[in-house]
């Protein structure tokens, strides 16, 4: 997480799949815990471009953010993925619960922070590793 914030300049979390359905009394919320002594500001972006912006999570507190607020007027169902960004690390959970009675919780799951590790190598470095592995397989160099 420290490398992630250093690389991206923000804390980034993602979660899928999510479902909000008014007709089935089904909602999901994000439980955002701020373990630090300073307030944290975050936003939630959905896979189809909807936003929940400027969520203030007070210091050493938890804020519950219902995802039903991404529904448009007259819309009963939304399904998709989210990306959450914040100034600093948050401890994040998806909470699945009743829309009418948020205390009736069905499930909760931890979100997956993005890792700030490289996912590719420069072409020449990749070529050098391939040559090294080929030479090892032929017994021409030691491991």
């Amino acid at each position: 997480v420290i490398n992630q914030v250093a690389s991206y300049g923000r804390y980034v979390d993602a979660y899928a799949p999510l479902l909000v359905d008014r007709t089935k009394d089904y909602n999901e919320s994000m439980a955002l815990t701020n373990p630090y002594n300073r307030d944290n500001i975050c936003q939630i972006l959905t896979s189809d471009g909807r936003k929940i912006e400027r969520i203030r999570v007070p210091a050493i507190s938890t804020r519950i953010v219902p995802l039903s607020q991404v529904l448009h007027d007259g819309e009963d169902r939304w399904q998709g993925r989210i990306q959450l960004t914040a100034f600093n690390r948050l401890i994040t959970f998806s909470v699945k619960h009743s829309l009418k009675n948020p205390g009736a919780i069905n499930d909760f799951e931890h979100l997956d922070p993005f890792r700030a590790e490289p996912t590719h190598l420069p072409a020449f470095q990749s070529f050098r590793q391939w040559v090294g592995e080929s030479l090892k397989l032929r017994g021409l160099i030691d491991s």
Side-chain angles (χ1 to χ4, degrees):
V1 171
I2 292 167
N3 289 340
Q4 178 208 82
V5 174
S7 293
Y8 301 134
R10 298 184 58 78
Y11 176 73
V12 183
D13 236 342
Y15 189 72
L18 294 161
L19 173 66
V20 176
D21 192 324
R22 288 184 182 153
T23 61
K24 294 182 179 176
D25 187 34
Y26 189 79
N27 196 10
E28 295 196 35
S29 294
M30 290 296 112
L32 311 172
T33 300
N34 179 2
Y36 299 103
N37 290 322
R38 293 182 58 196
D39 290 0
N40 200 346
I41 304 293
C42 68
Q43 78 172 20
I44 295 174
L45 304 170
T46 68
S47 52
D48 60 354
R50 303 171 195 216
K51 293 180 184 179
I52 303 173
E53 295 191 70
R54 303 264 327 147
I55 304 161
R56 180 177 295 281
V57 184
I60 311 182
S61 299
T62 298
R63 170 80 32 108
I64 306 295
V65 180
L67 294 179
S68 55
Q69 60 187 296
V70 302
L71 290 173
H72 298 303
D73 292 336
E75 187 176 35
D76 286 330
R77 187 173 200 271
W78 176 82
Q79 184 174 355
R81 298 171 305 280
I82 63 161
Q83 180 183 59
L84 181 145
T85 61
F87 292 126
N88 208 343
R89 179 178 185 255
L90 292 168
I91 301 165
T92 54
F93 286 89
S94 169
V95 182
K96 299 166 187 348
H97 57 86
S98 164
L99 188 63
K100 295 174 187 164
N101 178 11
I105 296 171
N106 300 324
D107 189 23
F108 66 93
E109 297 182 30
H110 196 276
L111 275 65
D112 301 317
F114 286 110
R115 297 173 66 152
E117 298 170 352
T119 58
H120 63 283
L121 296 173
F124 190 69
Q125 185 177 359
S126 182
F127 174 71
R128 285 179 47 213
Q129 288 183 358
W130 175 82
V131 169
E133 290 298 319
S134 297
L135 293 173
K136 280 185 210 173
L137 287 173
R138 291 179 175 82
L140 299 174
I141 62 172
D142 293 329
S143 309

